[in-house]
Amino acid sequence: MEIKELLKMQETLDNKIMDRFYKLGCNIGTKELINDKLLALFTEIGEFANELSTFKYWKHYHVENRKKALEEFADILFFYLSIANLLEYSADDIEKAYLEKWHKNLERQKNNY
């Protein structure tokens, strides 16, 4: 599946969520919504890290729940895509920025960055 398809699917889900939100009489501006979604994204990243527990050097035993870790990773992707849609980043914008940075990072590795 391509980023373009994922962005469209996320837009559909976000529209359903916001329709329900507005029907409840709630209203939120784009800037506040972006801030809320950024906080949610950071929270999901924390939940993913917690699920992996690789930073928990003090623990001697941990069994990774791959399914749960992937679910948290998917949550990260949901908010990433939702924020991209709010900022009106197209799949082409994202792919272009990624490739430019990828080439830059490769060059950095060649130069012992």
Side-chain angles (χ1 to χ4, degrees):
M1 189 170 294
E2 295 186 17
I3 292 174
K4 185 176 184 176
E5 294 171 82
L6 294 174
L7 287 166
K8 186 65 179 161
M9 290 170 63
Q10 187 62 44
E11 180 182 27
T12 300
L13 178 60
D14 285 340
N15 287 340
K16 288 178 187 268
I17 292 168
M18 294 311 292
D19 285 348
R20 196 172 119 246
F21 188 71
Y22 291 134
K23 285 177 185 172
L24 293 172
C26 303
N27 195 5
I28 189 170
T30 303
K31 186 175 180 179
E32 188 177 348
L33 190 56
I34 290 170
N35 288 340
D36 287 352
K37 288 186 181 199
L38 281 170
L39 180 57
L41 174 64
F42 298 147
T43 300
E44 294 300 339
I45 291 169
E47 290 177 4
F48 176 66
N50 196 50
E51 191 57 45
L52 293 179
S53 294
T54 54
F55 68 94
K56 295 181 180 180
Y57 61 88
W58 59 88
K59 287 183 82 174
H60 296 288
Y61 181 74
H62 178 75
V63 177
E64 180 186 337
N65 182 336
R66 182 176 169 84
K67 183 178 181 191
K68 181 67 175 151
L70 280 169
E71 181 180 320
E72 297 301 343
F73 189 83
D75 287 341
I76 293 168
L77 191 54
F78 276 112
F79 284 106
Y80 158 77
L81 293 167
S82 187
I83 293 165
N85 280 332
L86 274 172
L87 295 172
E88 298 180 0
Y89 293 167
S90 70
D92 290 340
D93 293 335
I94 294 167
E95 289 172 6
K96 181 180 177 193
Y98 179 87
L99 288 173
E100 286 174 2
K101 187 66 175 198
W102 182 81
H103 286 293
K104 186 176 187 176
N105 286 338
L106 267 182
E107 195 59 37
R108 287 175 169 171
Q109 293 307 305
K110 288 179 189 174
N111 295 315
N112 296 319
Y113 177 77

